[in-house]
Amino acid sequence: MSEQPRRGNLPVHAAGFVGRRREVAEVRRLLGANRLVTITGVGGVGKTRLAIEAAARTRGLPDGIWLADLTVVAGPDLVAATLKDTFGLADRSARSALSPLVDFLEDKELLLVLDNCEQLIDSCAAIVAKLQAAARGIVVLATSRQPLRVTGEQVFTLEPLATPDPESSPSGDLTEYESVRLFVDRARAVVPGFAVTDGNRAAVAAVCRRLDGIPLAIELAAARLPALSVQQILARLDDRFRLLTGGPRTAPDRQRTLAYTLTWSYDLCTPNERALWARASVFADFDLPAAEAVCIGDGINQHEVFELVAGLLDKSVLSRADGAGVTARYRMLETVRQYGRQRLAESARTDRVQRRHRAYFRDLAVRAEAERVSPHEVYWLQQLLRELPNLRLAIQSGLTDPGGAHDALRIAVAVQDLWIGAGRYREGQRWLTRALAADRQPTPVRAQALALAGFLTTLLGDPAAGQRLLDEAQTLSDRTGDPATRAIVTMHRSGQVLLTRPDGLADGHALTERALTDALIAGDLRTQSLCHLNSATTLAFLGDPRALDHAEQVRELGADHGAQWTEAWGRLQLALVRWHRGEPQPAATLAGEALPLLRAVHDSWGAGAALSVLAWGAARDGRHRYAARLLGACQAIRGGEGTPLAELGAFAAHHDQCTRETRAALGAAGYTTAVDQGTHFTLDEAIDYALGATTTPRTTADPTGLTRREQEIAALIAEGLTNREIAARLVISQRTVESHIEHILAKLGFTTRTHIAAWIAGRR
């Protein structure tokens, strides 16, 4: 199979990868002959880095290489949700959580890297078995401390790096040993110019031997060089090993060695660095403000958190989670994180720190909720997306803490835009259901949670259960007498009518009007905008000209308050209504204007509707192949789940007409081919294609293989723009810019932005 442009979300290469040529070659060979390869080995031996390096060198997969990190997945029931997030799939199906994955992957040819499976081994094994049975083109590369034990699995046990022979004198060039090469590489990162000399050769060889060639242990040892000589490191290792000989005799030697190394590294930290290490282990990853809020107290004040974080970075306890973000984020390797959790438990502070973590993310979620329909709403939505793993951990900790159930419920309600706008229907319903069972206090928040759960349950295809939840919400709302809560509950009731009762549209509109009245009394701009959106859709289906006024109200609300996402939805709703009124050209223009902001907040539901309108317009203008590709992209974005907005009620007639006309114009084979091309788009690629950033799928306008968007970004790099400035210039997310830059580097064979800038200058 010929080499294809790289696709997927895999990094260009494993950061800091040293050696392992034989292992990379063997894993690639196994991947070429098997559909499931599992890399096993002790924690810290380098399984993840080997998997990424081997996968990055794999070619001939038209649907790309995808990495799913299961490190901070909160439970086995979220493995499928994490995989759907990896592929950008929505979560709106009433079927099992696995069904949309099967539907999406059944005709794909791709490599899926499942990293850190050991904590969820049974769930991972079951999902891999089902996916491989249904999707014959899927190859899985897993990393785990134990095999998945799935039929057809090929296990590759990753051994530690080669170390100098203790029986021979350490003479000559020790860098023939990979462990020494790794030690020297990491040493030079902290002590420029470090080299193996006659004076330290024996000590270097002994350190690598005593650490059994485990990469993590070697990296932690090398990080000590700014403070200690190699000989001092060796002496402390000797002392530490003697001290810890009472460890579990049943544990493998290398696991015990890694534990010794972590304990030694822990002891080298200052008391406050140790405390921060332990407390920061409650995060999935974190930024400085989060650490300053959660990790203070008991001897640590807010002003010293930065220095403590810097100290842990220097000691390789922490690493940067992203290299080019506006705000630096930090993470721990999972082994280091687990060690920190053990230390936190020993200090009897786990509950206290988890409560602070939960309170911080509760407050963040509530603030994001309050900033809807404001100039900051896009920022906060992007922040919620970044913090989703921490929000999940916060909800989970609330459900396991007898005093935290209300926090869990409050967070689940406050982040509803993650459940609805970003297509995580099933996950939102699951969290709400669990939190409602844990917190039964008759509060306004409970009424809102019941209504939201009822609406999500209806979206997932169970209107009877949804109605029961909505009825309970209405009863509680009436008891509270709170107009804001009453508006939210009534608005969700009207949404259910719109979804389930085509003959009850007038009743649904009456409910929406009642909700709007309460929202105006409460000053709730978000609910006002949602009520106008409901009214615009309902009245459009009824053929009422007031539909246009309600859609315009949403656009004006967004414009008046600097709320770009709200304004984008106003434009999208205007596009749908205008198309329904027989005004295709302004409808297509409005849909195109909405797309960049819908992309910025990963709004798959809204983006799918906008792409549908553009497909309708393309079919009407005779651009049938373009229309068919957009129809395929719409299918891929929603993952085959639920009923998308553009195919709801009377809008479905326009979608059906577009499909019929396109199929007739292209013929069955041509239509199927074009739609299939569209299904291979990611959300970003589909929007780029719709807006003309590329002309056809999988083609390039440059002999280097760069797409037009990648050429554009390369030129902006040459102008000296940062990733943030490029994102602002092109109205795309910074994460998308970073992904494009990774692809540019891979295609051109470069390693830095400077190389890209020089290449552009040379072409000019």
Side-chain angles (χ1 to χ4, degrees):
M1 187 176 294
S2 63
E3 182 172 327
Q4 300 288 342
R6 295 193 64 80
R7 300 175 56 80
N9 67 343
L10 192 80
V12 174
H13 58 81
F17 193 78
V18 174
R20 300 289 201 190
R21 289 186 179 181
R22 183 191 64 80
E23 291 87 346
V24 169
E26 179 61 11
V27 171
R28 291 183 65 197
R29 185 190 68 78
L30 290 172
L31 288 172
N34 302 277
R35 297 182 60 222
L36 171 60
V37 177
T38 301
I39 301 174
T40 63
V42 64
V45 79
K47 299 183 292 293
T48 296
R49 287 181 177 177
L50 175 63
I52 292 174
E53 188 71 14
R57 298 186 188 187
T58 301
R59 298 291 184 268
L61 294 159
D63 298 303
I65 305 169
W66 298 84
L67 171 65
D69 185 358
L70 306 179
T71 303
V72 294
V73 175
D77 57 342
L78 285 177
V79 174
T82 300
L83 290 178
K84 286 194 286 186
D85 284 350
T86 297
F87 292 111
L89 301 180
D91 187 12
R92 303 179 185 127
S93 176
R95 300 168 293 165
S96 71
L98 194 57
S99 296
L101 272 173
V102 171
D103 291 345
F104 175 76
L105 294 173
E106 63 182 357
D107 63 342
K108 300 294 189 295
E109 294 181 38
L110 56 82
L111 172 61
L112 172 61
V113 181
L114 282 180
D115 193 28
N116 288 301
C117 295
E118 59 268 8
Q119 60 173 336
L120 304 160
I121 194 75
D122 292 336
S123 182
C124 288
I127 286 177
V128 167
K130 290 180 181 177
L131 288 181
Q132 291 204 318
R136 305 302 300 175
I138 304 301
V139 177
V140 177
L141 176 59
T143 72
S144 176
R145 296 188 189 183
Q146 56 184 312
L148 300 187
R149 305 199 185 285
V150 172
T151 301
E153 178 185 35
Q154 288 292 313
V155 177
F156 179 83
T157 301
L158 182 60
E159 299 293 341
L161 299 171
T163 61
D165 185 352
E167 300 300 323
S168 61
S169 175
S171 59
D173 183 10
L174 289 181
T175 56
E176 69 181 280
Y177 298 100
E178 290 184 335
S179 61
V180 175
R181 290 209 302 273
L182 178 64
F183 184 88
V184 171
D185 180 83
R186 299 302 189 262
R188 287 174 177 167
V190 295
V191 180
F194 177 86
V196 178
T197 66
D198 290 341
N200 66 19
R201 180 176 282 105
V204 168
V207 166
C208 292
R209 279 198 306 270
R210 294 300 181 93
L211 296 178
D212 281 351
I214 296 176
L216 175 58
I218 291 170
E219 291 180 354
L220 290 170
R224 304 284 75 76
L225 284 171
L228 300 170
S229 68
V230 182
Q231 290 83 352
Q232 287 175 308
I233 290 172
L234 178 60
R236 294 179 71 89
L237 279 176
D238 286 339
D239 290 340
R240 186 56 58 203
F241 289 159
R242 283 196 294 270
L243 180 65
L244 297 179
T245 53
R249 294 184 183 276
T250 56
D253 289 342
R254 293 189 181 104
Q255 287 187 8
R256 293 165 62 191
T257 301
L258 182 60
Y260 301 159
T261 305
L262 287 168
T263 300
W264 164 69
S265 185
Y266 184 83
D267 288 347
L268 285 179
C269 294
T270 67
N272 278 356
E273 285 175 343
R274 297 175 197 169
L276 188 73
W277 178 350
R279 297 174 197 180
S281 67
V282 301
F283 292 103
D285 60 10
F286 63 95
D287 57 18
L288 196 58
E292 289 172 339
V294 173
C295 299
I296 60 172
D298 299 316
I300 296 179
N301 64 58
Q302 182 177 349
H303 300 295
E304 64 179 321
V305 170
F306 170 73
E307 293 300 332
L308 297 175
V309 167
L312 293 177
L313 281 168
D314 288 342
K315 295 177 175 67
S316 299
V317 174
L318 294 176
S319 61
R320 282 284 297 270
D322 60 298
V326 176
T327 300
R329 296 185 68 82
Y330 311 100
R331 68 183 297 269
M332 296 179 184
L333 294 172
E334 181 59 17
T335 303
V336 177
R337 182 172 177 262
Q338 290 178 359
Y339 183 87
R341 293 298 290 269
Q342 292 174 1
R343 289 295 188 170
L344 186 62
E346 291 169 5
S347 72
R349 291 186 173 93
T350 300
D351 291 344
R352 186 185 317 172
V353 178
Q354 282 190 329
R355 283 195 294 270
R356 287 179 185 163
H357 176 277
R358 187 169 66 245
Y360 178 82
F361 287 102
R362 177 202 63 209
D363 293 346
L364 182 145
V366 170
R367 184 175 177 189
E369 181 184 47
E371 293 278 4
R372 277 299 308 272
V373 196
S374 81
H376 310 296
E377 69 174 2
V378 170
Y379 164 79
W380 280 108
L381 286 161
Q382 292 174 334
Q383 186 76 350
L384 290 180
L385 285 165
R386 279 191 292 270
E387 298 292 5
L388 180 55
N390 279 309
L391 291 164
R392 286 167 170 159
L393 289 174
I395 296 173
Q396 181 65 43
S397 77
L399 294 174
T400 56
D401 180 350
H406 186 70
D407 283 345
L409 191 66
R410 187 70 188 90
I411 295 169
V413 170
V415 301
Q416 60 186 283
D417 290 319
L418 292 181
W419 313 142
I420 298 178
R424 297 180 179 87
Y425 291 5
R426 180 174 295 281
E427 182 179 352
Q429 181 205 42
R430 181 168 54 247
W431 288 127
L432 286 161
T433 300
R434 293 178 61 188
L436 284 165
D439 178 24
R440 296 186 174 276
Q441 296 299 311
T443 61
V445 172
R446 179 174 177 81
Q448 295 172 30
L450 286 164
L452 178 58
F455 184 64
L456 288 171
T457 300
T458 300
L459 285 169
L460 287 166
D462 191 349
Q467 186 63 58
R468 288 192 294 272
L469 289 165
L470 285 162
D471 289 344
E472 186 178 349
Q474 186 67 62
T475 300
L476 181 54
S477 172
D478 292 341
R479 287 174 56 190
T480 66
D482 173 40
T485 298
R486 192 165 56 236
I488 291 169
V489 171
T490 308
M491 185 264 300
H492 282 311
R493 287 180 59 207
S494 70
Q496 196 208 36
V497 172
L498 180 63
L499 288 168
T500 61
R501 291 179 52 200
D503 60 343
L505 294 177
D507 293 340
H509 180 59
L511 286 170
T512 304
E513 290 291 298
R514 284 169 49 190
L516 180 58
T517 299
D518 280 329
L520 289 166
I521 293 171
D524 182 350
L525 296 177
R526 181 183 188 279
T527 303
Q528 290 175 38
S529 69
L530 293 175
C531 286
H532 284 302
L533 288 171
N534 273 3
S535 287
T537 301
T538 305
L539 293 173
F541 292 174
L542 291 170
D544 191 317
R546 291 177 296 168
L548 202 60
D549 295 333
H550 282 281
E552 183 62 32
Q553 283 285 338
V554 180
R555 192 198 65 76
E556 289 180 0
L557 266 175
D560 290 347
H561 292 85
Q564 294 176 301
W565 190 34
T566 299
E567 185 177 358
W569 261 95
R571 292 181 184 278
L572 172 60
Q573 197 71 10
L574 281 168
L576 289 164
V577 173
R578 285 192 176 277
W579 185 278
H580 197 60
R581 286 163 54 95
E583 304 173 29
Q585 189 53 53
T589 299
L590 287 161
E593 291 171 350
L595 271 176
L597 261 299
L598 296 169
R599 181 215 323 249
V601 294
H602 304 277
D603 184 345
S604 58
W605 200 26
L611 291 171
S612 292
V613 173
L614 292 175
W616 303 346
R620 182 180 180 277
D621 295 340
R623 294 177 293 145
H624 296 105
R625 196 171 305 280
Y626 178 84
R629 287 170 179 157
L630 289 182
L631 291 174
C634 293
Q635 292 178 18
I637 288 169
R638 72 173 185 262
E641 300 184 0
T643 302
L645 179 60
E647 298 174 44
L648 188 65
F651 294 153
H654 307 302
H655 207 80
D656 292 344
Q657 181 180 357
C658 172
T659 301
R660 287 194 305 272
E661 291 179 358
T662 304
R663 188 189 300 273
L666 297 177
Y671 175 82
T672 300
T673 298
V675 169
D676 181 66
Q677 289 172 335
T679 62
H680 288 83
F681 281 132
T682 64
L683 176 61
D684 282 344
E685 290 169 342
I687 293 174
D688 276 346
Y689 180 65
L691 297 179
T694 57
T695 53
T696 57
R698 301 185 185 278
T699 63
T700 61
D702 187 275
T704 62
L706 299 189
T707 65
R708 287 178 57 189
R709 176 64 89 189
E710 289 165 353
Q711 294 174 52
E712 193 174 15
I713 289 174
L716 294 175
I717 289 173
E719 291 179 21
L721 272 66
T722 65
N723 289 1
R724 182 181 184 183
E725 291 167 339
I726 293 171
R729 175 81 65 88
L730 300 179
V731 198
I732 59 178
S733 71
Q734 189 166 315
R735 185 177 302 172
T736 300
V737 173
E738 293 164 3
S739 176
H740 280 307
I741 291 174
E742 288 181 357
H743 295 162
I744 294 168
L745 291 170
K747 290 178 180 179
L748 299 180
F750 296 155
T751 57
T752 69
R753 294 164 60 95
T754 304
H755 292 153
I756 297 173
W759 177 73
I760 288 288
R763 286 168 61 91
R764 287 174 176 167

